[in-house]
C-alpha cells in the first residue's frame, strides 16, 4: 500500500497495491527428444537428421558445448549465448563401424541446473555375406561349371548394390554372373556364377596315340623294328651290322621305357587339377570373398 498522512480528518489515506514477481530463467527445449536412423551399411554415413535446440525461457541460455557419442557425429549453428525465444539446429549423421544396433547420444552442456541435456540416438549397422550351396564342381576341360550364390543381409536390411568378380581361375577360363549385381535388402538375393574352361592340349591328342590304344603303340614299335631289319639286311660288312644291331637295341629299349611311362604313346598323361576360385562381392568400401572349389580333368 501507499499511505498518505495529512491534515484531513481520517488521515492517513492509503492506496492498495498488488503485483506478481517474475523469475528470469532460460528454458531448454529439444525437438525431437530422440532420433532413430534406418539401417546403414558399415563404413557408410547416413543422411543427416536434425535436432532443434530452443530457448523458450525469458533469459539468455549459455551453451558451453555440444557433443555426439557412439558411431555418430554432429555439426551445429548454435551460438555460445542463445537468446530467449531463439533456436538453433544440430545436424546428426550415423556411420556404423559394426553390424547390429548402435546406440549413442547428443549432449548439450549449458547454464541450466540440469545440464547436460541429451538426445538419444539409435541406428543399425548392416553388412552382407556370401554363401554357396553348390559345393565342389568337377568338369572336363572345355566344359562349364555353375555355382549358385546367396547374398544375405547381416545386422539389418542391406540396401546397397553388391557387384562381383572372380580370381584364381584356370588359364584362359572366364567367369560370368547372372545377374551381374544384386541388392540383398531384407530378404537377401541370389546370383549364379558360371565358369567356362578351355580344352586342354591333351584333349587334342590323335586317337592312334591315345593312352587307351597300347596295342597300336606296340605295333608302331614293330614297324620300326622291321625298318631297321631291312637296313641290317642290306649291309654287307660285319662291323656295320654290329653297329646297327647296337643302335637297334638302344632304340627298342627307349621305346619300351616310353610305353611303360605313357601307355605306349610316349606322351605323359595329364591328371586332374583342383583350383580354388575366389568370388569377391563388393559394395562401396565393403569386400567379402567366397572360395569355390573347381576340379578340371
Amino acid at each position: 500500500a501507499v499511505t498518505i498522512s495529512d491534515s484531513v480528518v481520517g488521515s492517513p489515506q492509503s492506496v492498495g497495491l498488488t503485483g506478481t514477481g517474475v523469475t528470469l530463467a532460460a528454458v531448454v527445449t529439444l525437438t525431437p527428444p530422440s532420433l532413430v536412423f534406418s539401417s546403414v551399411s558399415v563404413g557408410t554415413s547416413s543422411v543427416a537428421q536434425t535436432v532443434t535446440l530452443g530457448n523458450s525461457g525469458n533469459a539468455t541460455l549459455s551453451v558451453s558445448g555440444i557433443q555426439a557419442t557412439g558411431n555418430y557425429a554432429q555439426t551445429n549453428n548454435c551460438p555460445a549465448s542463445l537468446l530467449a525465444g531463439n533456436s538453433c539446429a544440430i545436424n546428426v549423421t550415423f556411420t556404423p563401424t559394426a553390424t547390429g544396433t548402435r546406440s549413442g547420444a547428443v549432449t548439450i552442456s549449458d547454464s541450466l541446473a540440469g545440464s547436460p541435456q541429451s538426445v538419444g540416438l539409435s541406428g543399425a549397422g548392416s553388412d552382407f555375406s556370401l554363401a554357396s550351396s553348390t559345393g565342389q564342381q568337377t568338369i572336363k576341360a572345355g566344359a562349364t561349371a555353375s555355382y549358385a550364390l546367396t547374398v544375405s543381409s547381416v545386422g539389418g536390411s542391406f540396401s546397397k548394390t553388391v557387384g562381383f568378380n572372380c580370381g584364381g581361375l584356370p588359364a584362359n577360363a572366364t567367369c560370368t554372373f547372372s545377374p551381374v549385381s544384386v541388392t540383398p535388402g531384407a530378404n537377401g538375393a541370389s546370383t549364379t556364377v558360371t565358369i567356362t574352361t578351355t580344352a586342354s592340349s591333351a584333349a587334342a591328342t590323335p586317337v592312334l596315340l591315345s593312352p587307351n590304344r597300347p596295342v597300336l603303340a606296340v605295333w608302331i614299335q614293330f614297324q620300326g623294328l622291321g625298318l631297321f631289319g631291312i637296313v641290317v639286311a642290306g649291309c654287307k660288312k660285319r662291323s656295320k651290322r654290329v653297329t646297327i644291331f647296337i643302335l637297334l637295341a638302344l632304340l627298342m629299349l627307349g621305346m619300351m621305357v616310353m610305353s611303360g611311362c605313357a601307355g605306349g604313346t610316349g606322351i605323359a598323361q595329364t591328371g586332374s587339377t583342383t583350383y580354388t576360385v575366389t568370388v569377391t562381392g563388393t559394395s562401396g568400401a565393403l569386400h567379402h570373398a567366397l572360395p569355390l572349389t573347381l576340379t578340371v580333368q
Side-chain angles (χ1 to χ4, degrees):
V2 174
T3 302
I4 302 101
S5 298
D6 51 40
S7 57
V8 178
V9 176
S11 177
Q13 289 79 28
S14 65
V15 178
L17 304 175
T18 60
T20 301
V22 177
T23 301
L24 296 178
V27 177
V28 169
T29 58
L30 293 170
T31 310
S34 62
L35 294 177
V36 177
F37 291 80
S38 59
S39 181
V40 178
S41 60
V42 173
T44 302
S45 295
S46 70
V47 175
Q49 295 192 45
T50 301
V51 174
T52 300
L53 170 62
N55 179 5
S56 60
N58 57 10
T60 299
L61 175 69
S62 296
V63 179
S64 56
I66 299 175
Q67 292 182 330
T69 61
N71 292 165
Y72 300 87
Q74 65 81 31
T75 59
N76 66 83
N77 62 354
C78 297
S81 296
L82 186 62
L83 299 178
N86 287 1
S87 63
C88 59
I90 304 170
N91 297 312
V92 183
T93 56
F94 173 42
T95 307
T97 58
T99 58
T101 302
R102 316 297 293 174
S103 299
V106 171
T107 57
I108 300 98
S109 300
D110 52 49
S111 56
L112 296 187
S115 176
Q117 285 75 35
S118 65
V119 174
L121 306 175
S122 179
S126 64
D127 201 343
F128 69 93
S129 64
L130 300 178
S132 174
S133 60
T134 306
Q136 180 176 345
Q137 293 281 337
T138 300
I139 61 173
K140 297 291 185 181
T144 61
S146 295
Y147 299 81
L149 303 184
T150 301
V151 187
S152 304
S153 296
V154 179
S157 178
F158 192 84
S159 59
K160 301 292 184 180
T161 300
V162 180
F164 309 96
N165 62 72
C166 287
L169 293 169
N172 302 318
T174 60
C175 77
T176 57
F177 294 88
S178 180
V180 295
S181 62
V182 298
T183 302
N187 300 318
S190 61
T191 186
T192 300
V193 56
T194 300
I195 300 173
T196 303
T197 62
T198 58
S200 66
S201 59
T205 303
V207 174
L208 289 177
L209 297 181
S210 169
N212 296 324
R213 302 292 189 273
V215 175
L216 293 177
V218 173
W219 175 248
I220 293 174
Q221 297 176 21
F222 278 107
Q223 286 182 325
L225 178 61
L227 178 61
F228 273 90
I230 294 172
V231 174
V232 171
C235 294
K236 297 180 179 180
K237 292 184 177 181
R238 180 180 180 83
S239 59
K240 288 186 177 181
R241 290 183 180 181
V242 173
T243 302
I244 291 174
F245 272 119
I246 294 174
L247 293 175
L248 178 59
L250 293 175
L251 177 61
M252 290 298 295
L253 178 61
M255 295 181 71
M256 291 173 63
V257 172
M258 292 169 65
S259 300
C261 292
T265 66
I267 299 173
Q269 299 185 50
T270 302
S272 62
T273 303
T274 300
Y275 300 87
T276 299
V277 178
T278 302
V279 173
T280 302
T282 302
S283 180
L286 295 176
H287 305 274
H288 295 291
L290 175 68
L292 303 175
T293 301
L294 174 65
T295 301
V296 181
Q297 296 179 337

